[in-house]
Amino acid sequence: MNARDTEIGINEALLDLATIRHTSRKYEKGSYLFREGDPIRGIYLLRSGKVQIGKVTPEGRELTLKICGGNQLVGEVTVFSGPSKYRLDAKAIEDTECLKITIEDLEEALQRDHTMAIAFMRWTGIDQQKTQTKFRDLLLHGKKGALYSTLIRLSNSYGETHSEGVLIDVELTNQ
């Protein structure tokens, strides 16, 4: 089993989160699910659309850390830790539909359903490892090395293997 298979298995297990009490919301392109400094009240399970996770620098420059799509979780997970505030922004870059699960409902479900709790812990661990890898590549290899690493990750995630090598069938832009 490779890393992608493991991630797919985790994502499938996390779809059980949709069975937790939730509210369904739609966000238009350009609107925010949450902003830096807002109190954390829940997590979001994306059903469709894309959300940019990032930060705005004091100079007004937008830094994109991650883009999430369908069946992915969005939100800073602070279960069992008391009140916290978001440290990043989550902005819809396409019309987006998601399920919002409150932290209280999530904590109750994780205590009740051990399989879901294990999948959730695995997801948070893998998500943290991915973030650390991106920062490591940037710090150790500079911008060019981080770009190469990103292209390799795109190839591994979205590329199709053919007899002549790997074909990436993804439109790449400077975003």
Side-chain angles (χ1 to χ4, degrees), residues 21 50 75 77-78 89 106 131 150-151 153:
R21 182 176 43 208
K50 287 195 167 96
V77 184
T78 57
D89 295 327
L106 176 62
T131 301
T150 299
L151 292 173
R153 276 195 301 278

Side-chain angles (χ1 to χ4, degrees), residues 20-65:
I20 300 172
R21 182 176 43 208
H22 60 269
T23 56
S24 185
R25 292 246 359 232
K26 292 183 179 183
Y27 294 87
E28 291 182 5
K29 179 181 178 177
S31 61
Y32 288 86
L33 283 68
F34 54 83
R35 300 293 306 255
E36 180 180 359
D38 289 348
I40 297 176
R41 293 204 167 87
I43 62 166
Y44 300 82
L45 177 61
L46 300 183
R47 302 309 283 172
S48 64
K50 287 195 167 96
V51 172
Q52 170 186 316
I53 307 299
K55 189 168 185 73
V56 178
T57 67
E59 298 81 34
R61 202 169 124 223
E62 275 190 5
L63 300 174
T64 300
L65 300 175

Side-chain angles (χ1 to χ4, degrees), residues 89-143:
D89 295 327
K91 181 181 179 181
I93 55 175
E94 294 179 0
D95 288 345
T96 299
E97 183 176 352
C98 61
L99 308 179
K100 181 180 180 184
I101 303 167
T102 67
I103 294 295
E104 296 79 20
D105 289 336
L106 176 62
E107 289 174 348
E108 182 182 313
L110 294 176
Q111 287 176 333
R112 197 176 53 248
D113 185 338
H114 300 289
T115 303
M116 184 186 299
I118 290 168
F120 190 78
M121 286 187 294
R122 288 179 68 202
W123 171 79
T124 58
I126 289 171
D127 193 56
Q128 185 178 29
Q129 287 175 344
K130 287 179 184 178
T131 301
Q132 288 174 351
T133 298
K134 291 173 190 174
F135 282 118
R136 181 204 64 206
D137 291 345
L138 182 59
L139 289 172
L140 295 179
H141 306 295
K143 289 180 183 177

